[in-house]
């Protein structure tokens, strides 16, 4: 409650009180130095940030792991306020620091987290490891889980109690089965599985294998695991695409519960005989459309892309041709006229995708590249299809950057490859059109970054800020590969820096990566077992309004995290956004496979 100062209070006393208040506020808000906690490559631009209450015109120093000063400099210009506690954020240019080693930055009475020049750790490998933690079925890296999915029942789409709820109205109606949907990856901190997500994720894993710097066989093993599951979700014989395993919430009548109603380990589900837990034990399956009828084009495009990308990398030409045939089959089932609401998940509000020509462009580009490799005469047809969808996207759907809901950056880059390989002209788009499309997305990010104290190209107050940052980092490298220009290299580096600690909260949004990474992800397996979710990538900051009602209570089975219940990051709330490192904070701290996939792709492209 606000306290008022009586009007009769003596002026001298009022001045004393205000001075004391200001002094206390400054003492409670010390300066902070934010850095990329993994580190920087010797030749790239390197920036840290000093958050302070005072306008800093002083100097900064960089010390090595022995405490020796190796670099000094003057704090750069004030980039603007973060919040009322920290009205000044100054740039610290570390670009002259090039010698490999471990360092800290000191400025304004604060010391940064430790970071490296030429980091030795393999951040990408840790993100790959997270997919192992997410595995479901007989090949789970913990205990086998959801083996009942081998004989699952198919149900009609449920009716929900409202457009913005996931609560089911009435009972589910059985329409088919049994089908084998065992395996795959859990979508996020819960245990649902979605084809919309998995196709995007597997596409990026194969793209990382193809385009990036990759060590060892773990990445290929995970990409293969995802493709094996995707093959189950596409029934070639009946031309049916299954889109979801599990249901998020129970029904209004209270006769059954859903996945989000129970906090548990996944291996417990097959034997769960509690009342109302039928759909926990026997998870329902839902399909995109009736067998043999056209399917939502976003699903067709991205599912085809995953199969076709695998065909580009498959050593066995016979197997590669089989994968190309699957890609062509699902691609050919796309409904591209009279497209209404896209199919993603049930409810649609879980993943409200609204554009689809980018998915069809991507699918066509990957089909063309696979066909070119295999000498398939359909390569030209798919190239023309991809160009036609690219034209439609550029004319009607531009406005986002690379993430789960917009794959056009990868589609543009791969269509360019296919066009150049074919030496093709007379298509619906030119090479210049596609380069301009990449540049438009990067320019959107650079405009935001220019106005942000920490050079963030993504929005703080919207879902998926961290994956958007990694998407921009990846797009900067795709642009460089497509054009040879390094015009956006520094911007791309800054987006990676932001995600790995050079942000207002000083948090690496990748678990187990950096000295101050997220500690309490909204992830059931990690929370219950105490096993760190290393490599998990979380949403990051989100709209502060989403936190106005608090974080809610704990499930009975949920160990509190942080154990003392303190919010160490509330004082850094700013620019309409908040971050909370708390197991209850699904808004900010829930990891997801699509977050990890785009982070992995960006890291494999920018790891050298």
């Amino acid at each position: 409650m606000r306290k008022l100062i009586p009007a009769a209070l003596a002026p001298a006393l009022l001045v004393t009180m205000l001075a004391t208040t200001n002094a206390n506020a400054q003492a409670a808000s010390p300066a902070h130095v934010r850095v990329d906690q993994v580190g920087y490559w010797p030749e790239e631009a390197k920036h840290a940030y000093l958050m302070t209450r005072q306008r800093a015109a002083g100097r900064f120093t960089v010390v090595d792991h022995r405490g020796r000063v190796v670099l000094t400099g003057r704090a750069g210009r004030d980039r603007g306020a973060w919040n009322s506690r920290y009205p000044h954020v100054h740039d610290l240019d570390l670009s002259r620091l090039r010698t490999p080693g471990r360092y800290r930055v000191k400025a304004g009475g604060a010391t940064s987290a430790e970071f490296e020049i030429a980091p030795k750790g393999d951040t990408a490998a840790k993100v790959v490891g997270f997919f192992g933690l997410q595995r479901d079925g007989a090949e789970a890296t913990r205990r086998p889980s959801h083996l009942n999915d081998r004989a699952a029942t198919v149900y009609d789409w449920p009716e929900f109690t409202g457009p913005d709820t996931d609560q089911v109205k009435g009972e589910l109606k059985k329409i088919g089965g049994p089908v084998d949907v065992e395996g795959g990856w859990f979508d996020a901190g819960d245990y649902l599985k979605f084809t919309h997500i998995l196709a995007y994720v597997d596409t990026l894993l194969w793209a990382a294998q193809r385009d990036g710097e990759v060590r060892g066989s773990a990445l290929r093993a995970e990409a293969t695991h995802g493709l094996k599951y995707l093959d189950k979700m596409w029934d070639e014989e009946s031309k049916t695409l299954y889109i979801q395993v599990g249901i998020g919430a129970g029904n209004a009548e209270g006769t059954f519960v859903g996945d989000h109603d129970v906090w548990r380990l996944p291996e417990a589900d097959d034997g769960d005989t509690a009342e109302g837990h039928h759909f926990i034990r026997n998870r329902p399956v839902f399909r995109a459309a009736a067998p043999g009828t056209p399917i939502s084009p976003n699903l067709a495009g991205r599912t085809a892309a995953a199969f076709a990308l695998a065909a580009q990398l498959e050593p066995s030409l016979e197997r590669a041709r089989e994968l190309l045939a699957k890609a062509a089959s699902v691609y050919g089932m796309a409904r591209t006229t009279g497209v209404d609401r896209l199919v993603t998940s049930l409810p649609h509000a879980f993943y409200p995708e609204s554009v689809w020509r980018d998915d069809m462009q991507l699918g066509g580009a990957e089909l063309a590249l696979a066909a070119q490799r295999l000498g398939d005469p359909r390569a030209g047809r798919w190239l023309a299809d991809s160009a036609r969808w690219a034209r439609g996207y550029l004319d009607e759907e531009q406005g986002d950057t690379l993430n789960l809901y917009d794959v056009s950056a990868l589609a543009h880059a791969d269509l360019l490859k296919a066009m150049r390989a074919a030496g093709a002209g007379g298509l619906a788009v030119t090479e210049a059109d596609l380069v301009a499309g990449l540049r438009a997305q990067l320019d959107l990010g650079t405009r935001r970054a220019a106005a942000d104290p920490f050079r963030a190209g993504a929005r703080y107050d919207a879902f998926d800020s961290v994956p958007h940052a990694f998407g921009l980092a990846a797009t900067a490298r795709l642009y460089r590969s497509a054009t040879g220009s390094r015009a956006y290299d520094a911007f791309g580096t800054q987006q990676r820096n932001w995600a790995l600690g050079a942000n207002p909260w000083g948090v690496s949004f990748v678990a187990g990566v950096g000295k101050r990474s997220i500690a309490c992800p909204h992830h059931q397996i990690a929370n219950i077992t105490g096993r760190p979710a290393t490599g998990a990538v979380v949403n990051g900051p989100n709209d502060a309004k989403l936190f106005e009602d608090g974080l809610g209570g704990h499930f009975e089975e949920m160990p509190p995290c942080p154990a003392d219940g303190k919010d160490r990051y509330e004082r850094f709330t700013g620019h309409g956004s908040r971050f909370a490192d708390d197991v209850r904070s699904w808004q900010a701290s829930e990891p997801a496979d699509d977050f990890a996939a785009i982070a992995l792709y960006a890291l494999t492209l920018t790891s050298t």
Side-chain angles (χ1 to χ4, degrees):
M1 183 173 65
R2 180 175 297 172
K3 295 181 179 179
L4 302 178
I5 299 175
L9 195 64
L13 178 58
L14 179 58
V15 170
T16 301
M17 289 182 66
L18 289 174
T20 301
T21 299
N22 288 337
N24 289 340
Q26 291 185 36
S29 304
H32 297 276
V33 178
R34 304 309 198 196
V35 297
D36 182 327
Q37 294 171 27
V38 173
Y40 308 81
W41 293 104
E43 300 301 320
E44 68 185 358
K46 309 171 191 69
H47 294 272
Y49 302 92
L50 172 64
M51 302 173 64
T52 179
R53 288 192 61 83
Q54 303 297 325
R55 185 180 296 275
R59 303 189 69 80
F60 69 86
T61 61
V62 179
V63 298
D64 65 14
H65 68 285
R66 296 179 181 176
R68 299 176 299 188
V69 175
V70 298
L71 180 69
T72 63
R74 183 168 294 278
R77 70 178 182 87
D78 188 346
R79 292 189 54 83
W82 174 248
N83 61 17
S84 60
R85 288 177 179 267
Y86 298 101
H88 306 286
V89 178
H90 289 269
D91 178 74
L92 307 179
D93 190 343
L94 313 179
S95 297
R96 290 181 292 141
L97 185 65
R98 297 187 175 188
T99 303
R102 303 196 312 274
Y103 302 94
R104 294 180 186 271
V105 181
K106 296 185 176 184
T111 301
S112 75
E114 189 176 66
F115 62 93
E116 290 187 68
I117 298 297
K120 301 179 183 66
D122 194 340
T123 302
K126 291 182 177 180
V127 178
V128 173
F130 174 67
F131 286 99
L133 183 62
Q134 293 294 95
R135 282 196 183 195
D136 194 19
E139 296 179 0
T141 57
R142 307 162 318 281
R143 293 171 57 188
S145 55
H146 299 127
L147 299 185
N148 289 349
D149 287 352
R150 289 173 171 169
T153 300
V154 182
Y155 291 84
D156 199 0
W157 286 14
E159 181 181 354
F160 297 96
T161 56
D164 298 318
T165 76
D166 62 348
Q167 187 179 58
V168 176
K169 181 179 179 181
E171 302 293 333
L172 298 184
K173 179 183 177 183
K174 178 180 176 180
I175 58 173
V179 293
D180 180 4
V181 292
E182 175 265 338
W185 301 297
F186 303 129
D187 166 54
D190 52 39
Y191 305 132
L192 300 177
K193 298 186 291 191
F194 301 104
T195 299
H196 175 251
I197 309 296
L198 193 137
Y200 168 81
V201 168
D202 208 47
T203 294
L204 287 177
L205 295 195
W206 288 111
Q209 181 81 28
R210 182 194 64 186
D211 302 337
E213 295 286 337
V214 180
R215 300 174 187 172
S217 59
L219 174 55
R220 190 177 190 96
E222 287 303 326
T224 301
H225 178 77
L227 195 71
K228 179 180 177 181
Y229 182 73
L230 201 59
D231 200 10
K232 291 184 176 184
M233 299 303 276
W234 170 243
D235 183 341
E236 176 66 36
E237 184 176 350
S238 67
K239 296 292 190 290
T240 303
L241 183 66
Y242 298 102
I243 59 167
Q244 181 171 328
V245 179
I247 192 74
N251 64 350
E253 293 77 10
T255 60
F256 65 84
V257 302
D259 184 86
H260 296 169
D261 299 320
V262 187
W263 194 263
R264 79 286 186 195
L265 291 176
E267 53 264 33
D269 286 358
D270 281 348
D272 187 347
T273 58
E275 184 178 358
H277 285 217
H278 175 78
F279 293 124
I280 300 295
R281 182 175 67 256
N282 300 296
R283 306 201 300 169
V285 179
F286 305 96
R287 63 194 187 191
T293 61
I295 60 178
S296 192
N298 57 320
L299 288 170
R302 62 181 54 196
T303 303
F307 283 123
L309 254 162
Q312 296 169 33
L313 298 174
E314 172 57 48
S316 165
L317 294 183
E318 181 180 359
R319 171 63 176 156
R321 292 187 184 95
E322 292 175 358
L323 292 169
L324 179 59
K326 292 179 188 293
S329 181
V330 68
Y331 190 73
M333 292 299 296
R335 178 174 56 236
T336 57
T337 59
V339 178
D340 193 4
R341 171 179 280 190
L342 300 176
V343 177
T344 57
S345 59
L346 301 170
H348 180 262
F350 278 173
Y351 294 103
E353 186 176 31
S354 59
V355 301
W356 57 272
R357 291 172 180 84
D358 58 317
D359 293 288
M360 291 297 291
Q361 179 193 344
L362 180 63
E366 304 307 346
L367 280 161
L369 287 169
Q372 287 172 351
R373 179 206 177 198
L374 296 170
D376 190 303
R378 294 173 291 179
R381 189 183 80 197
W382 287 320
L383 183 64
D385 280 349
S386 182
R388 180 163 54 91
W389 295 124
R391 180 77 274 154
Y393 172 85
L394 292 169
D395 290 345
E396 300 184 43
E397 294 182 337
Q398 285 193 88
D400 201 354
T401 58
L402 181 57
N403 75 107
L404 173 66
Y405 301 111
D406 190 323
V407 296
S408 61
L410 179 58
H412 291 347
D414 280 4
L415 178 53
L416 272 168
K417 291 179 188 176
M419 290 169 64
R420 289 168 177 171
L427 299 172
V429 291
T430 65
E431 291 187 18
D433 292 332
L434 297 173
V435 168
L438 288 170
R439 190 166 55 244
Q441 296 188 29
L442 290 166
D443 286 345
L444 177 62
T446 57
R447 286 193 296 271
R448 289 175 181 155
D452 180 70
F454 296 87
R455 294 187 171 93
R459 291 181 55 187
Y460 289 91
D461 60 346
F463 277 98
D464 299 2
S465 56
V466 170
H468 271 88
F470 278 120
L472 287 165
T475 304
R477 189 55 65 98
L478 291 174
Y479 182 85
R480 175 171 143 187
S481 297
T483 66
S485 169
R486 294 174 177 262
Y488 295 97
D489 278 13
F491 167 74
T493 295
Q494 290 153 11
Q495 304 319 297
R496 186 198 75 220
N497 298 158
W498 180 88
L500 296 177
N503 56 63
W505 298 270
V507 176
S508 167
F509 296 117
V510 184
V513 172
K515 300 295 183 181
R516 301 172 187 167
S517 66
I518 182 165
C520 299
H522 182 80
H523 190 270
Q524 294 178 77
I525 295 171
N527 176 252
I528 295 172
T529 66
R531 174 183 175 181
T534 302
V537 181
V538 300
N539 181 86
N542 212 330
D543 191 336
K545 295 176 182 177
L546 295 175
F547 299 87
E548 289 179 348
D549 294 330
L551 298 179
H554 294 83
F555 282 90
E556 183 179 346
E557 301 81 6
M558 178 190 284
C561 188
D564 60 9
K566 293 183 179 179
D567 184 350
R568 290 166 173 77
Y569 298 104
E570 190 278 333
R571 60 188 168 141
F572 301 118
T573 296
H575 286 217
S577 68
R578 179 179 171 189
F579 173 72
D581 189 2
D582 190 298
V583 68
R584 298 167 295 169
S585 176
W586 61 268
Q587 307 96 319
S589 67
E590 184 172 18
D593 285 6
D594 61 290
F595 300 169
I598 189 58
L600 175 66
Y601 188 51
L603 291 166
T604 58
L605 292 179
T606 63
S607 61
T608 59

